[in-house]
């Protein structure tokens, strides 16, 4: 069916890496965004991808495969403060640049 | 970075009353949005707004909901009358449109509790 799917939870260790997966099935595709959201705070924009491949933005990298309806957010050299929810959001064919969000993945970084 | 301000941060009202949630979007942004998030659940699109008009609304945007931005002031979401299931955090967002349309800037949300 239509929608954006993410695993609920993810755990990793400080200094290592974490990969947050996202799969989507939408009416059309006009780009995918990743946001970070901390409890009780606004979602903060991290990255936007619209072309296939890996986009390296330092601490955050994003990958997109449009044919597979799949993206991931890769966080490297994890810090404790990276513990947060990471939201995947897809812009479909709707009007006005609407984003459809996934349920978010709660990342816990252990010392 | 750009800031979207939402007032108030918390609102508690009795079922059946009217409530207005206020949003001060990023200046010179043209597109405005409201999202609803129930605790522990996903952000769900309610409505977007451009050039004084609603562009698209979801099934969650009931007849009791309305939005406006009179004279370039606050972008508001009004619920009249409220129902228990309206309890949630409501996030406002804005974007500039054009090539940076993909970047929505969000406010910190208004936590609405309907008793």
């Amino acid at each position: 069916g239509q929608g954006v799917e993410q695993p609920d939870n993810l755990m990793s260790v400080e200094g290592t890496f974490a990969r947050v997966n996202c799969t989507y099935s939408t009416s059309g595709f006009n780009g995918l965004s990743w946001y970070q959201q901390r409890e009780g705070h606004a979602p903060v924009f991290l990255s936007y991808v619209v072309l296939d491949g890996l986009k390296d933005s330092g601490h955050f990298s994003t990958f997109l495969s449009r044919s597979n309806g799949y993206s991931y957010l890769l966080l490297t050299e994890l810090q404790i403060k990276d513990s947060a929810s990471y939201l995947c959001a897809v812009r479909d064919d709707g009007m006005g640049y609407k984003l459809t969000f996934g349920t978010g993945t709660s990342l816990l970084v252990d010392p | 970075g750009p800031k979207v301000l939402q007032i108030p941060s918390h609102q508690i009202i009795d079922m059946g009353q009217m409530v207005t949630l206020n949003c001060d979007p990023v200046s010179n942004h043209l597109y405005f949005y409201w999202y609803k998030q129930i605790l522990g659940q996903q952000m769900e699109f309610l409505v977007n707004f451009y050039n004084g008009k609603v562009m698209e609304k979801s099934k969650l945007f009931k007849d009791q909901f309305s939005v406006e931005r009179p004279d370039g002031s606050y972008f508001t979401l009004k619920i009249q009358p409220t129902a228990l299931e309206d309890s949630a955090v409501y996030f406002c967002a804005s974007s500039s449109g054009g090539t940076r349309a993909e970047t929505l800037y969000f406010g910190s949300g208004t936590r609405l509790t309907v008793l």
Side-chain angles (χ1 to χ4, degrees):
Chain A
Q2 300 280 312
V4 182
E5 301 289 335
Q6 298 180 244
D8 289 341
N9 298 288
L10 183 62
M11 291 180 62
S12 193
V13 178
E14 187 179 19
T16 66
F17 69 95
R19 191 178 77 188
V20 184
N21 294 316
C22 172
T23 57
Y24 63 88
S25 174
T26 54
S27 300
F29 178 80
N30 287 289
L32 183 148
S33 299
W34 285 94
Y35 285 79
Q36 181 192 64
Q37 187 179 26
R38 300 186 185 282
E39 185 81 23
H41 289 83
V44 175
F45 174 79
L46 295 177
S47 179
Y48 169 78
V49 285
V50 67
L51 299 176
D52 286 347
L54 185 66
K55 179 179 177 182
D56 187 356
S57 302
H59 185 47
F60 300 104
S61 297
T62 48
F63 172 81
L64 177 67
S65 170
R66 288 174 295 175
S67 60
N68 292 311
Y70 170 69
S71 175
Y72 68 71
L73 173 71
L74 180 68
L75 298 90
T76 57
E77 298 182 22
L78 285 172
Q79 302 174 46
I80 302 294
K81 66 179 183 178
D82 290 322
S83 297
S85 285
Y86 291 87
L87 313 180
C88 172
V90 174
R91 185 181 144 203
D92 56 22
D93 281 343
M95 301 171 63
Y97 309 109
K98 177 191 78 176
L99 291 179
T100 298
F101 281 86
T103 50
T105 298
S106 179
L107 172 63
L108 178 62
V109 180
D110 283 333
Chain B
K3 296 283 189 186
V4 174
L5 300 177
Q6 289 190 241
I7 302 166
S9 57
H10 292 83
Q11 181 89 48
I12 300 174
I13 59 171
D14 292 323
M15 182 177 63
Q17 285 189 315
M18 180 194 75
V19 68
T20 300
L21 309 183
N22 298 297
C23 172
D24 187 8
V26 177
S27 61
N28 78 6
H29 277 189
L30 302 175
Y31 294 84
F32 312 110
Y33 312 78
W34 283 103
Y35 281 81
K36 175 182 180 181
Q37 187 177 41
I38 294 173
L39 186 63
Q41 298 184 23
Q42 72 191 102
M43 298 267 289
E44 295 191 273
F45 170 78
L46 286 176
V47 65
N48 54 9
F49 190 86
Y50 169 74
N51 197 26
K53 299 175 186 174
V54 170
M55 298 192 70
E56 187 176 353
K57 56 187 179 181
S58 72
K59 294 177 184 176
L60 295 178
F61 194 79
K62 305 178 295 184
D63 291 342
Q64 298 89 326
F65 288 38
S66 62
V67 291
E68 63 176 355
R69 193 184 187 213
D71 300 324
S73 59
Y74 286 150
F75 175 52
T76 63
L77 173 65
K78 182 187 292 185
I79 309 174
Q80 181 178 27
T82 50
L84 295 176
E85 61 264 27
D86 296 331
S87 294
V89 179
Y90 290 84
F91 288 97
C92 172
S94 68
S95 70
S96 59
T99 58
R100 295 299 295 170
E102 69 280 1
T103 305
L104 268 62
Y105 294 90
F106 284 85
S108 297
T110 294
R111 184 177 298 277
L112 176 65
T113 301
V114 181
L115 302 176

